[in-house]
Amino acid sequence: MADRRSRSVSSRKQPQQARSTELVAAILDAAIQVLAKEGAQRFTTARVAERAGVSVGSLYQYFPNKAAILFRLQSDEWRRTSDMLRGILADGARPPPARLRALVHAFVRSECEEAAIRTALDDAAPLYRDAPEAQEARAAGKGIVAAFMREALPRAPDATRVLASELITTTLSEVGKRFSETPRSEAEIARHADGLADMLCAYLGALARRRKHS
């Protein structure tokens, strides 16, 4: 029997008119509210439709199941993260360490601002994490970081750049997740981001010097 998690989680259709776009926006807004209040375990299409003030049938015109709604919320978050990565890491006007520091600050802040919904989406991840669309979304983010590493470490072997990418992104993700589990003040966010940026920039600098002197 095929694993249900590998099936497509794409929306049933895309809205073409303003009214349809508004309906989808209302459904997604309601989904965020239900997810934040009820959690992934109690998240249902019926609850989302009720909160949005639409019929379940209207909801199903655009989302065939709750996994499709949750994946849409997650893919929107991934897209925002990819846009943030691209906007910061591809800024050739600044040296790589400055870009990495700016990314750390932006990432830690976004993790704190979206902690509640992110935690709920993490709980719902088994519903869509193996779907083709999810794999494509994750690959896009990795591509942005890989391009940055090629610029930051032009003389390093591919294996070194791949390892650096994995270590930096994993550290950002895990530390940001743990840090944002507790409400934080602006000062705490700034201090934590500074410390994390110091560590990651030192690592990147060490790799760059190692290649120059090897």
Side-chain angles (χ1 to χ4, degrees):
M1 183 175 181
D3 187 342
R4 291 184 300 169
R5 293 176 299 178
S6 65
R7 67 185 178 183
S8 173
V9 290
S10 293
S11 302
R12 194 180 294 277
K13 68 176 182 178
Q14 297 299 317
Q16 300 298 322
Q17 300 178 345
R19 183 178 178 183
S20 299
T21 300
E22 291 174 358
L23 174 59
V24 170
I27 291 171
L28 294 174
D29 184 61
I32 290 173
Q33 296 178 46
V34 172
L35 190 60
K37 180 180 179 181
E38 305 288 349
Q41 298 303 316
R42 290 175 54 81
F43 183 92
T44 65
T45 54
R47 285 193 172 92
V48 172
E50 180 180 7
R51 178 62 64 91
V54 303
S55 68
V56 174
S58 295
L59 182 150
Y60 283 149
Q61 290 182 44
Y62 300 96
F63 300 100
N65 48 51
K66 71 176 185 179
I69 301 175
L70 291 166
F71 178 72
R72 172 60 184 272
L73 295 178
Q74 179 64 84
S75 62
D76 285 350
E77 194 277 330
W78 278 332
R79 186 180 65 253
R80 289 191 295 271
T81 299
S82 293
D83 289 345
M84 178 177 67
L85 286 171
R86 188 178 296 106
I88 295 174
L89 295 184
D91 182 7
R94 293 192 291 179
R99 281 179 258 170
L100 180 56
R101 179 171 293 277
L103 175 64
V104 171
H105 275 267
F107 185 84
V108 171
R109 181 171 299 280
S110 69
E111 286 289 282
C112 291
E113 291 175 348
E114 302 174 1
I117 189 67
R118 191 208 63 246
T119 299
L121 284 173
D122 285 345
D123 291 340
L127 291 171
Y128 54 75
R129 65 186 171 199
D130 295 329
E133 298 92 336
Q135 296 174 16
E136 292 170 6
R138 289 192 293 266
K142 290 182 179 179
I144 297 169
V145 176
F148 169 75
M149 285 300 171
R150 286 193 294 271
E151 184 179 354
L153 303 171
R155 300 179 183 178
D158 288 342
T160 298
R161 288 196 291 261
V162 169
L163 177 60
S165 296
E166 292 178 352
L167 288 175
I168 288 175
T169 55
T170 300
T171 300
L172 268 176
S173 177
E174 292 302 315
V175 173
K177 177 180 178 181
R178 292 289 296 275
F179 179 71
S180 63
E181 288 175 352
T182 301
R184 303 289 183 173
S185 67
E186 289 292 324
E188 287 179 309
I189 292 173
R191 286 197 301 269
H192 197 84
D194 272 334
L196 184 56
D198 286 345
M199 180 179 69
L200 295 180
C201 286
Y203 170 59
L204 191 68
L207 290 177
R209 290 191 297 273
R210 184 183 307 168
R211 296 308 306 170
K212 286 182 180 179
H213 297 125
S214 61

